[in-house]
Structure formats: structure tokens, C-alpha cells
Amino acid sequence: MSLKNLLSDNRSSIIKKWRDIVISTYPIDTQRFLKKEKDRFSNPVGQTIAEDLEILYDQLTSDNDTDKIARSLDNIVRIRAVQDFKPSQAVGFVFALKRLIKKELGSDLKADDLRDQIESLDERIDNAALMALDIYSQCRQRIYELRVIETTNQVSRLLERANLKIEIPEL
Amino acid sequence: MADTPKPEELSKIDHAPPLMEGWMDVPAEIRPGIYCYGAKAKNLAAVGMPNARDWNPADEDWKLPDNWEQIVEEGMKDRLDKYRSFKLFMDICVRCGACADKCHFFIGSGDPKNMPVMRAELLRSVYRKKFTAAGKILGKIAGARKLTEEVLKEWWTYLYQCTECRRCSVFCPYGIDMAEITIMGRELTNLLGLNIDWIAGPVANCNRTGNHLGIQPHAYKDMIDFFVDEIEEVTGIRVEPDLNRKGAEILFVTPSGDVFADPGTYTAMGYLMLFHYLKSQGLDITWSTYASEGGNFGFFTSHEMAKRLNAKMYAEAKRLGVKWILGGECGHMWRVVHQYMNTWNGPADFLEEPVSPITGTKFETATGTKMVHIIEFTADLMRNNRLKLDPSRNDNLIVTFHDSCNTSRGMGFLEEPRYVIKNVCNNFYEMPPNTIREQTFCCGSGSGLNAGEDMELRMRGGLPRANAVKHVHEKYGVNMLSCICALDRAVLPTSLGYWVPEVAVTGVHEMVANALVFEGEKERTTNLRGEPLPGMEEEE
């Protein structure tokens, strides 16, 4: 059996366990809510995790569309970048997929002819993790940028009106 | 508001607390990005607030007075005696958990202590220990605990992670108003000098100079003059606003944020244009450089401070001899006026019941306060066909509307803003029902939490609102979020800048002014922001 088939046969159970791993990074009392509430407007964090992990799984294990991978990673990491996580915790969920697949498929992966396919999957997951790191870094930078923009916006009109600054007029 | 629960519903309530085991033993963490800077000594001293000293929440030593525990206990007792609501809210919660997942900070942060029931429990646990027999005798078993410095720090941490938006109260079967609990809790912290500077600074400035930033009258006038020039450039019409004019019929008061920071400035220009338009129809109105703040950060400090700042608007109305007050687009300003003003400073019997000089409509809901929200005033003008409007000028905008917590839940302005918006723009789409009207999500930065240093907290709190905006952006191409609150205009551009950068923010009266057709105006090629009007891209 090819790795692709194995991953597809075990799709729902692996995705569910992957989701459990991500949810388990939140406090126990929050986990219940994140899993239970299915309305995406009442529970944007839980539903984003549920929906985008599914997309990520499909893309990483079969379709490999980089744009879709980036978009789903962005959806999840953008949230985790402002929550109580260290950088490693915020993006670590991507690596967790590697361990999870090996644990779940166990002996099925031992066949020699799968080695290349496993290596290639590992590489895709590693790349996704690096993308997640880039996104995390951009998110943090964006927060600082927004803080500067907001501060500038609060005072710039005043400086101008108080004749403390006069800009070169438009041509 | 919440429906009254039926007996069978009440009997189903699980009395087991939905709270984490051992929550009392998990101390609060004061983390950068989440907390706001402590109030500076000068700002507390300026308004006579206690324990004025510079302090840093990140330090171990908060420089509390020696008898701080006694101060809190007496403060709590005083408030339990004075406010029946506080006593009731301390006693009646059955911890059903209906509110638990309704708070934007809980939804966005995942921190269980941000569940409203839990946030209230922080105070209730101390209340039980000090004021109930069961709590005194049984202690922890009865959910009671001693007030220690650690507990006080936990209070502070979470009381300043609540924006007093009252969304949770909509879902509470008992109607417990969590905002009232936060308000009381914050009053207690203020007895110890534990305010945040983003609130204390504006309060001190407002008390002395008249607005949050401490803008002096000449600078205020200068800014209005600048708007007059800008408006002339866009429309060819020179508006002639009055400032501090005695004997005017109406005093106009608006949040200073709209006079000094974009995009609120365009809304301020909108007011100026609307007033000029109505002049020939008999509008007799003046702005004031002294009552130059509609906002009231005293409301996030104590009732006494809120009353003091609120009184300033009325003192100015009296000084100028106006008949009534028209107020700009603002949120908490209206909660203060609508729900508290009459008790604190009313009745304003030196003023008259507001009547629109244009349509003759009596604003009966404002009989007590004599103060009318401009959205109601404008909706009435439109209903009576007093404005010539060309909504196609806003055709470049695909608009949705964010109900501000205070005007929707606090005042019931649900239809008026929508009516006005639909009159001035052709593309309007609602966000999902569980995110608007009474169930609206807070901007995430209200009640004085719109500082810069707590940006992570603001982004967490802003997530549920932004998430719904993102949905209508993706589904309908929405590119403009409208609102009738100055704080929203100050903070939502930042929140959306992180979550949905494709969507900008506008006040409703900016769109009104863009659609307003003046007699004798020049052909308009741009809107107030200087962007080309639809079909005018070539001329630019």
C-alpha cells in the first residue's frame, strides 16, 4: 500500500488526534469549549483549528498546494501569535503531525518501499513548520508596526496644527 | 435582553461549578503585551485620587498603603450597602456557565479566568469570606478565600481585561450585569491608586483642560479651521461653524478623538457639513472648546469621577444658555448619559426637552437628560426627507455595520444607524446574527483599554469581531466597517489591520456628508478622504 493510501485511510482519526494535540495546548477548562462549540463566530479559535488542520493535512499528505498551506497556517498561527504561547509553542503543532503519523501508522511504515515517500512527507512538514515560523515572525512584527502607526496617528495631526511641523506640500 | 428562564430550564441548571479545579491556587501572571502601565502619580494627584505615586505593575512592590486590606474591606462594605445591584450580583449567581463562553477576551485568549463567571468569582470569593457566614466558617469549601496581595493582583489583572461591554449579561438567566461587577472592582482598585495610566491621564486632562489629550481651546479651534479648509477643497462650500457662542439653541459635544485622529476626523468634517446644510432650515448650533470631550474615562475610574466629568458638559450648556445638547457618535459617552446622568447630575431642568428645529420631532427619550445622539437626529431628518442625498457617491464602499456595545446594548440603537446607512449607501451587508445588535462583539479595546502597551490583549479581544468582519469581506467583498463610536474608530483600524487589513473603518456621518448634495457645490470628484468618487477616477 502506498503512503498516500495509508494516510487517506487513516485521515479522520489522525486529523482528530492532531486537533486534540493542538487543543491540549490550552487550559483544561477551555479545551471543552474549543471542541464543543461548532459555530465559527462563537468559537473562532476552535473552529479555525478544526477547519484549517483538515486543510493542512490534505495539502501536506497529498495535494501540496503551497498557497493553501500558507493560508491555513496563517489562520492558525495569527491567533496563536497573540495568545499565551512561546514562539516554539505557537508553531510546534506542525512538527507534532510528524510524530503523530509515525505513531498512528506504526508498523505499516516499516516497508522498505515507503522510505522515500516518508522522507518526502517529512520534508513537506518541515517546510510547513518553517513557513509557520515566518508567519509567526510577521505577525509579531505587524503588532509592533500597528502600535507605531496608532501612536503616530494619534499625534501627527496635532503636531501639524500646532505648527510644530510643516511638511513639503504636494506637487 | 435575556428571556426570562422557564422553571423547567432553571431546574436543569447544573450547580457544579464549571470552573477549573484549584483555580484559587493559580496566581495571575502580569505579562508584557497584556497589562497596561500603572497610573502616574501626577495624574492621580491632579484629581485627588488616593495613593498617588508612580508604580509599575510588573514590579513585585505595588507601593500599597499599609492598611490596604482594611481600605478594600470598607470600600466593599460601603458599595454593598450603597448599590443593591452589587449585593445582588455577589449573591445570586448559580454558576450555570451561560456567560462563560460569551466574552470576547475568553474566546480570543482561551484564558478561563476571562470567563465572566470566573472573573466575577475572583471578587465573590473574597466577598464570601468577608461578608457571608458560610464563607467565614467553611472557607474554601464555600468558595471563599482570604484577600491577599496575590489575590489583589489577580483582581487587577482581570478587571483590566474586561471592557464592560455587557455581552455576557445578555445571556445570563438572572440578568447579572458583569460590567457592574467590573465597575465596582475597578472602584476598589482605585481606592488603592491602582488605576492604569491610559485612564488616569485622560481623566486628569479632561478634568482640567476639557478633553482626554489636554488640547487647549486655541488648538481645538485651529483643528476646526483646518476641517473648514478641507471641506471647501472637496465641496467648494465654506462652512461657518460657531465655537462657544452664547445664546445658541443647541450645544454640540463630541469625543475629542474625532477632532484629532483619523479616521474620526472625517466624521467630524461630516458633522460640520451636516450642520452647515441645515443652517438655512433653522439649525442654530455651537461647538465648545471647553466641553470638548464627549467621552468620560471617569466612568472607568469611579462613579464620583464619572459624575464630575459628566457635569462639565452640563455646566457648559448652562454657561452658554442653550436649550439642549446634541452629541456626536460615541459609545460609552451614551451609556453614561442614558443610564447614569440623571441620577448623578439630573434633572437638567435648566434645559428644555429636545425638539428638532428642522422637523419638529420631540425626542421624548431624552426628556430627562436633554441630550440627543446625532444618529437619532439624522435618522429623523431622513425620515422627514430633509436631506438631499446621492448614495451613489459611496458606491466604492461595500459596507457593514459594527454595533457598538454601549449604543446597542446600553441604549437600544439598533435600527437608527442602519436606517441612516441604507439612505446613504447602496451596498450594505450585515455580519452574522450572533455577532450584531444585542449580541454584538466588543471592539476589544473599550473601557480605557485602548493603550498601546497591551496590544496583544487588544488583538485577542478584537478577534471575535474581526472574525465576523473577515467573513463578510470574503463573502460579499465588504471593504468598509462603519460604526457610531469614536473609540471604535480609534481602535478598529488597528484590530482589522492585524486580522483583516483589507477592510477600513468609517463613522456613519462621514458617509452621510459624502452623500449630502449641497446647493451651489462644485462637482465633487473626491470624497472627504481625498479618494476619487466612483466614476471620477480619471479626473484625479
Side-chain angles (χ1 to χ4, degrees), chain B residues 258 329-332 404 407 483-490:
Chain B
D258 279 346
E329 293 182 13
C330 184
H332 75 271
S404 307
T407 48
C483 58
I484 51 169
C485 166
L487 206 123
D488 282 334
R489 284 189 284 282

Side-chain angles (χ1 to χ4, degrees), chain A residues 26-30 32-34 36-37 39-45 48 74-75 77-79 81-85 138-140 142-144 146-147 150-151 153-158 160-163, chain B residues 18-20 31 37 101 106-110 112 115 198 213 215 222-223 226 260-262 265-266 432 434-435 441 450-453 455-456 458-460 463-464 467-468 470-471 490 494 497-499:
Chain A
Y26 292 90
I28 291 169
D29 290 76
T30 309
R32 196 170 19 176
F33 163 70
L34 291 178
K36 190 188 68 183
E37 175 59 68
D39 183 293
R40 60 180 284 205
F41 302 107
S42 300
N43 179 16
V45 177
T48 301
D74 189 290
N75 288 341
V77 173
R78 190 164 294 277
I79 292 171
V82 293
Q83 292 179 327
D84 278 331
F85 296 114
Q138 284 160 11
C139 287
R140 299 298 305 181
R142 183 70 181 144
I143 290 170
Y144 302 129
L146 286 166
R147 195 174 162 187
E150 201 175 83
T151 310
N153 184 32
Q154 276 158 7
V155 295
S156 69
R157 289 263 192 178
L158 275 175
E160 214 171 289
R161 299 322 302 159
N163 287 328
Chain B
L19 310 172
M20 52 186 181
R31 286 189 56 232
Y37 299 150
D101 54 4
F106 171 68
I107 293 171
S109 71
M115 294 176 183
W198 195 257
L213 288 170
I215 310 294
D222 203 26
M223 202 64 209
F226 169 75
F260 293 100
D262 298 338
T265 46
Y266 306 113
N434 54 343
T435 71
F441 275 115
N450 54 322
E453 62 269 19
M455 198 54 92
E456 271 179 69
R458 289 174 49 190
M459 293 305 111
R460 294 174 181 186
L463 169 61
N467 179 57
K470 191 176 177 187
H471 170 73
T494 307
Y498 184 75
W499 297 110

Side-chain angles (χ1 to χ4, degrees), chain A:
Chain A
M1 198 182 236
S2 77
L3 179 61
K4 201 168 172 178
N5 288 343
L6 278 171
L7 290 167
S8 144
D9 288 352
N10 292 280
R11 182 181 179 274
S12 56
S13 89
I14 296 180
I15 290 176
K16 186 179 171 297
K17 284 181 179 155
W18 194 19
R19 191 183 71 141
D20 289 348
I21 290 172
V22 180
I23 301 280
S24 72
T25 59
Y26 292 90
I28 291 169
D29 290 76
T30 309
Q31 293 176 17
R32 196 170 19 176
F33 163 70
L34 291 178
K35 280 189 192 171
K36 190 188 68 183
E37 175 59 68
K38 302 292 180 208
D39 183 293
R40 60 180 284 205
F41 302 107
S42 300
N43 179 16
V45 177
Q47 283 310 102
T48 301
I49 291 169
E51 287 167 24
D52 285 293
L53 285 186
E54 207 171 318
I55 295 171
L56 279 174
Y57 183 85
D58 290 341
Q59 293 303 323
L60 289 170
T61 59
S62 117
D63 300 347
N64 203 20
D65 180 330
T66 317
D67 286 346
K68 284 188 182 160
I69 292 174
R71 205 174 311 137
S72 286
L73 283 173
D74 189 290
N75 288 341
I76 298 174
V77 173
R78 190 164 294 277
I79 292 171
R80 293 173 73 82
V82 293
Q83 292 179 327
D84 278 331
F85 296 114
K86 291 179 179 140
S88 55
Q89 294 169 327
V91 301
F93 71 92
V94 183
F95 289 118
L97 180 63
K98 249 159 87 167
R99 291 192 296 276
L100 181 63
I101 288 174
K102 278 165 198 158
K103 194 175 153 206
E104 287 302 298
L105 303 184
S107 56
D108 290 344
L109 294 179
K110 295 223 168 87
D112 280 349
D113 56 337
L114 287 182
R115 193 174 301 154
D116 286 353
Q117 295 173 49
I118 294 167
E119 244 173 57
S120 143
L121 173 67
D122 281 352
E123 201 176 306
R124 282 205 295 274
I125 297 176
D126 286 346
N127 282 338
L130 290 172
M131 280 166 78
L133 186 65
D134 285 346
I135 293 165
Y136 178 87
S137 167
Q138 284 160 11
C139 287
R140 299 298 305 181
Q141 195 175 330
R142 183 70 181 144
I143 290 170
Y144 302 129
E145 227 172 59
L146 286 166
R147 195 174 162 187
V148 172
I149 293 170
E150 201 175 83
T151 310
T152 311
N153 184 32
Q154 276 158 7
V155 295
S156 69
R157 289 263 192 178
L158 275 175
L159 295 177
E160 214 171 289
R161 299 322 302 159
N163 287 328
L164 289 173
K165 67 169 195 181
I166 296 174
E167 288 182 1
I168 305 296
E170 298 284 333
L171 285 177

Side-chain angles (χ1 to χ4, degrees), chain B residues 134-248:
Chain B
K136 278 178 194 165
I137 297 163
L138 297 172
K140 231 175 185 179
I141 303 165
R145 64 171 172 174
K146 269 186 73 175
L147 178 62
T148 62
E149 215 169 304
E150 216 162 52
V151 169
L152 179 70
K153 289 185 175 181
E154 188 182 42
W155 276 15
W156 187 84
T157 308
Y158 289 99
L159 289 170
Y160 292 90
Q161 281 190 52
C162 165
T163 44
E164 305 179 4
C165 82
R166 298 167 84 224
R167 185 170 193 269
C168 51
S169 71
V170 173
F171 299 89
C172 175
Y174 289 94
I176 296 174
D177 186 345
M178 183 61 218
E180 289 281 332
I181 298 178
T182 296
I183 288 168
M184 289 300 138
R186 286 196 185 185
E187 285 207 13
L188 296 175
T189 63
N190 267 282
L191 296 175
L192 305 174
L194 295 178
N195 207 338
I196 61 173
D197 203 55
W198 195 257
I199 295 173
V203 164
N205 284 333
C206 204
N207 184 59
R208 189 183 67 168
T209 319
N211 55 63
H212 291 164
L213 288 170
I215 310 294
Q216 300 188 75
H218 65 278
Y220 195 92
K221 178 183 183 302
D222 203 26
M223 202 64 209
I224 300 284
D225 288 347
F226 169 75
F227 291 154
V228 170
D229 291 344
E230 292 272 292
I231 291 167
E232 187 173 17
E233 211 163 285
V234 174
T235 65
I237 302 274
R238 191 151 184 91
V239 303
E240 294 160 342
D242 288 317
L243 291 164
N244 308 330
R245 180 165 58 82
K246 285 191 175 176

Side-chain angles (χ1 to χ4, degrees), chain B residues 233-236 393 396 514 521-540:
Chain B
E233 211 163 285
V234 174
T235 65
R393 285 180 185 166
N396 54 330
N514 278 327
E521 70 180 9
K522 72 174 191 188
E523 188 190 17
R524 288 206 219 170
T525 56
T526 73
N527 60 24
L528 287 170
R529 298 187 185 201
E531 299 158 351
L533 289 178
M536 292 291 178
E537 292 82 359
E538 300 268 302
E539 276 77 352
E540 282 303 292

